[in-house]
């Protein structure tokens, strides 16, 4: 019969006490999950367009439904409600998202303070049937 030496026993007990790798440790931050990030970015851009262009408004039910689908996708990927809430309320993430959205809008020809550029981009997105366009409607 094999006898356990104190060193082998200590090593076994020490290994048993090590924390197991959890899913949270292997999952990327939500900001790096493209389907979630890109979805929230689309909602933010649509919101900016409807706020800057009086001729376009939001499809609020569609927007809330889409946000709920994104939350469901995040949950299905294993993120907790607390992790999701932390991501969407993070001031630093909001700043990054706003900067990315503004850069996207400017690349499409929208100029801060000039409503017509936002209206044009909004109408183009509606006509294309893009994710952003599906969240908007012309008045």
């Amino acid at each position: 019969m094999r006898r356990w030496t104190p060193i082998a026993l200590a090593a076994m007990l020490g290994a048993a006490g090590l924390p197991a790798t959890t899913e949270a440790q292997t999952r990327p931050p939500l900001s790096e999950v493209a389907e979630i990030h890109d979805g929230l970015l689309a909602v933010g851009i649509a919101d900016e367009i409807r706020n800057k262009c009086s001729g376009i408004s939001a499809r609020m039910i569609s927007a809330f439904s889409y946000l709920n689908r994104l939350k469901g996708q995040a949950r299905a990927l294993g993120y907790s409600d607390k992790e999701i809430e932390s991501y969407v309320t993070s001031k630093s993430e909001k700043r990054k998202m706003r900067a990315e959205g503004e850069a996207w809008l400017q690349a499409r020809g929208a100029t801060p303070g000039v409503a017509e550029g936002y209206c044009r981009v909004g109408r183009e997105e509606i006509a294309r049937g893009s994710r952003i366009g599906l969240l908007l409607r012309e008045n």
Side-chain angles (χ1 to χ4, degrees), residues 49-70:
I49 290 170
R50 71 138 181 139
N51 283 323
K52 303 285 188 197
C53 177
S54 62
I56 294 178
S57 58
R59 294 181 181 273
M60 294 304 282
I61 294 172
S62 295
F64 286 125
S65 178
Y66 183 60
L67 287 170
N68 281 330
R69 282 196 307 273
L70 288 174

Side-chain angles (χ1 to χ4, degrees), residues 35-114:
E35 63 191 285
I36 305 300
H37 171 79
D38 295 351
L40 289 174
L41 182 61
V43 171
I45 291 170
D47 191 48
E48 189 72 7
I49 290 170
R50 71 138 181 139
N51 283 323
K52 303 285 188 197
C53 177
S54 62
I56 294 178
S57 58
R59 294 181 181 273
M60 294 304 282
I61 294 172
S62 295
F64 286 125
S65 178
Y66 183 60
L67 287 170
N68 281 330
R69 282 196 307 273
L70 288 174
K71 188 173 187 177
Q73 287 177 322
R75 283 182 182 147
L77 292 170
Y79 295 90
S80 69
D81 286 343
K82 185 177 179 180
E83 289 171 307
I84 296 166
E85 186 69 19
S86 177
Y87 173 56
V88 299
T89 60
S90 165
K91 289 182 181 182
S92 64
E93 290 298 332
K94 285 181 184 181
R95 279 191 299 275
K96 288 181 209 173
M97 190 78 67
R98 174 166 283 288
E100 191 174 344
E102 287 174 353
W104 186 91
L105 283 161
Q106 287 178 8
R108 299 287 308 276
T111 304
V114 181

